[in-house]
Amino acid sequence: MVLVDIGNTHYHIKKGSTLIHTKKVPTLEGDIFYISVNDANEMSFLLENPNAINLKDYVNFNTEYTDLGIDRIMACKNVHTGLVVDAGSAVTIDIMVGGFHLGGLIMPGIKAFEFAFGKISKKLIYHLDEFDKTKLPNSTKEALSWGSIGSIVFMIEKLRKNMPVFITGGDGEFLSKFVDRSEYIEDLVFRGMIKTIKEDYENSIAKG
């Protein structure tokens, strides 16, 4: 079984215990299941893998959020109670309680903050690689870190209400360093896809 998460810039692939991230359209063999947030990349993928199955057509998920992205659904699918953070080009924070999705929010990703600051002024061009929430900022770089990494971390801390925090995404491991008692799970989306296959897809096929 091969799992594919089609993102805006990369194809994320899980084959057994191996994770692959590539911009090249993959040609795969075997049973292929995928999700996608990019229509153009999905069309290119299906030209090479016409029998791939879109799990969006089968997933069951308890939420009142009307247009929740399939990537966020899969990240949350395997979490019964907790805060689910996907840190990529954007940062999404979703709240799961008792298997029900209560809601969530979207913030700029860390690199998006860097880009925005640089567009405001050349004096604000910094690589944001550190954040110390124990003391107020006393330099421009520290101030920018508080306004970017800090805004994400403080929002997580405000929303968590003693719940566990699960972090994934390209900047997830970096962000997790600043969130106390958080767990970085690189393949969290894929875990949700596996749960969807076992609980939703296979039941749907069995019912005919």
Side-chain angles (χ1 to χ4, degrees):
M1 181 172 64
V2 182
L3 306 178
V4 183
D5 173 11
I6 303 174
N8 286 310
T9 58
H10 286 77
Y11 296 89
H12 308 283
I13 303 164
K14 183 175 176 66
K15 299 172 69 174
S17 60
T18 302
L19 295 179
I20 302 167
H21 308 285
T22 179
K23 291 185 177 181
K24 183 180 178 180
V25 182
T27 301
L28 304 167
E29 297 180 351
D31 295 327
I32 305 166
F33 298 89
Y34 78 94
I35 60 171
S36 175
V37 298
N38 185 304
D39 292 341
N41 285 351
E42 180 180 359
M43 289 180 62
S44 298
F45 175 76
L46 289 174
L47 288 174
E48 296 293 327
N49 307 276
N51 296 319
I53 296 169
N54 189 349
L55 289 177
K56 185 177 181 180
D57 299 331
Y58 298 93
V59 65
N60 293 314
F61 189 66
N62 293 320
T63 185
E64 294 180 356
Y65 195 117
T66 57
D67 52 357
L68 189 65
I70 189 63
D71 52 342
R72 292 169 67 186
I73 290 174
M74 291 302 175
C76 292
K77 180 78 173 177
N78 206 44
V79 174
H80 187 258
T81 296
L83 217 64
V84 180
V85 181
D86 192 338
S89 53
V91 173
T92 58
I93 304 174
D94 290 286
I95 304 167
M96 295 292 296
V97 175
F100 190 87
H101 178 260
L102 296 185
L105 57 90
I106 304 172
M107 303 176 67
I110 295 169
K111 292 181 178 60
F113 275 113
E114 287 182 353
F115 178 79
F117 289 144
K119 295 293 286 186
I120 294 170
S121 170
K122 291 182 179 180
K123 294 181 179 180
L124 301 181
I125 296 177
Y126 282 93
H127 176 56
L128 304 174
D129 56 1
E130 290 296 334
F131 168 63
D132 185 355
K133 64 182 177 182
T134 65
K135 63 183 184 68
L136 287 172
N138 280 293
S139 71
T140 298
K141 185 175 183 180
E142 291 176 356
L144 293 173
S145 293
W146 265 63
S148 54
I149 302 169
S151 65
I152 299 168
V153 171
F154 294 142
M155 182 61 73
I156 292 170
E157 292 181 347
K158 178 177 178 60
L159 293 173
R160 71 183 302 172
K161 300 185 185 302
N162 295 318
M163 292 190 296
V165 176
F166 305 98
I167 304 179
T168 192
D171 287 326
E173 187 171 17
F174 169 75
L175 183 64
S176 67
K177 296 189 301 181
F178 310 111
V179 181
D180 297 335
R181 304 183 314 282
S182 65
E183 181 180 359
Y184 168 68
I185 305 176
E186 183 179 10
D187 65 343
L188 185 60
V189 170
F190 290 120
R191 294 186 189 189
M193 292 176 68
I194 291 171
K195 187 177 179 68
T196 299
I197 293 168
K198 291 180 177 179
E199 295 183 356
D200 303 332
Y201 172 77
E202 291 181 357
N203 285 340
S204 177
I205 297 302
K207 291 178 181 177

